[in-house]
Amino acid sequence: MQPHKDQEASLHRARSVGALVVLLLGAPGAGKGTQAKRLAAHLGLPHISTGDLFRENLSRSTPLGLRAKGYMERGELVPDGLVIEMLESRVSAADCRGGYLLDGFPRTLPQAQALAKSLEAAGLSAGVPPRLAVIDIEVPDGLIVRRASGRLVCAACGHIQHKEFDPPKQAGRCDRCGGALQSRADDQPEVVTKRLEVYHRQTAPLVQHYRAAGLLDAIDGQGNPGQVFDRLLQTLHNRGVQGGRA
């Protein structure tokens, strides 16, 4: 079977200019996941999130997944080294030879240092060092709290509305199916605020690390998703990346 044309182009780019690795940073609720999927599709790169890595390895009961499951069942954090092993296993696949987009990793400076060693080893193996682009999607904490605390989820169909930005026509009822709209416990202001505090504490050294290395660009994550996506593309264009080509 012949490789898909996109995969052939991906392989060619990897051999000629090095794989493109895009890291998207952003606080929980900043819209990073939405932008990551759209950007990966635009660039023709696999979208890889740590959540997907865990789910894939656990569902397939891989040796890595079984090791991770042991930590999780004991209520312990999965060590960075094991997460890196999962990542290395995933990015060794043929579809990642031209690069990939990481969503939600790294989150801490030790994770970034482990990733750097992995990328260095991959570059030595390929004979061409990978190109790294790091983009931080910045949204004020107050707006993230407003976004989350106003979210309403339909208990019947899962449709999402918002008290402020997309209010239901009938109070407490889903516009799509008429089901009951509910607020999630983890969307309460105090819970969101705590989550943001943890995120900022973990990622402040990470952001400083990539900024000092000249790899980080920060963009405004406010506005509609289309506006934010345009800013992402412009930032990558300024870095010499356009539509997956350097």
Side-chain angles (χ1 to χ4, degrees):
M1 180 181 296
Q2 292 295 319
H4 188 278
K5 289 183 179 180
D6 288 346
Q7 186 170 315
E8 289 180 337
S10 177
L11 294 175
H12 174 72
R13 290 196 303 272
R15 296 187 186 110
S16 59
V17 296
L20 171 64
V21 178
V22 179
L23 310 185
L24 278 193
L25 308 180
K32 174 171 54 63
T34 298
Q35 296 297 334
K37 292 176 183 177
R38 186 174 178 181
L39 183 60
H42 179 83
L43 295 174
L45 300 176
H47 169 220
I48 301 174
S49 72
T50 50
D52 290 340
L53 287 176
F54 278 103
R55 282 187 288 272
E56 179 180 355
N57 281 276
L58 289 171
S59 66
R60 293 170 47 208
S61 295
T62 66
L64 293 174
L66 293 174
R67 286 167 56 193
K69 184 178 181 181
Y71 287 100
M72 296 166 72
E73 288 179 341
R74 294 191 298 270
E76 301 174 8
L77 291 176
V78 178
D80 288 346
L82 182 50
V83 179
I84 283 288
E85 284 188 67
M86 288 185 181
L87 178 63
E88 289 177 337
S89 176
R90 172 66 185 89
V91 303
S92 66
D95 66 335
C96 292
R97 290 179 188 170
Y100 47 90
L101 185 149
L102 282 181
D103 171 7
F105 189 90
R107 289 190 177 182
T108 65
L109 186 54
Q111 289 177 350
Q113 292 167 337
L115 176 63
K117 291 181 180 178
S118 176
L119 291 175
E120 181 180 7
L124 290 173
S125 176
V128 184
R131 297 166 295 150
L132 186 61
V134 186
I135 303 178
D136 187 15
I137 301 176
E138 297 183 334
V139 178
D141 286 359
L143 178 55
I144 290 177
V145 173
R146 280 173 60 200
R147 285 177 176 177
S149 61
R151 187 181 292 129
L152 298 168
V153 183
C154 178
C157 72
H159 180 58
I160 298 176
Q161 295 193 232
H162 197 278
K163 296 176 183 177
E164 182 181 353
F165 306 129
D166 183 22
K169 296 174 182 176
Q170 180 182 352
R173 291 293 170 182
C174 173
D175 286 355
R176 179 173 293 176
C177 75
L181 291 172
Q182 302 173 341
S183 296
R184 301 188 312 194
D186 60 351
D187 281 341
Q188 297 306 306
E190 59 274 13
V191 177
V192 178
T193 299
K194 180 65 176 178
R195 197 157 58 230
L196 288 170
E197 289 174 355
V198 172
Y199 173 80
H200 290 310
R201 185 167 60 250
Q202 287 184 332
T203 59
L206 178 67
V207 169
Q208 180 57 37
H209 167 75
Y210 283 127
R211 180 174 286 120
L215 296 170
L216 182 132
D217 291 290
I219 68 165
D220 183 3
Q222 299 180 83
N224 65 53
Q227 292 171 326
V228 178
F229 185 66
D230 287 344
R231 293 176 198 136
L232 280 172
L233 293 185
Q234 184 59 54
T235 298
L236 287 172
H237 178 74
N238 293 342
R239 287 274 179 177
V241 177
Q242 180 146 4
R245 294 185 300 275

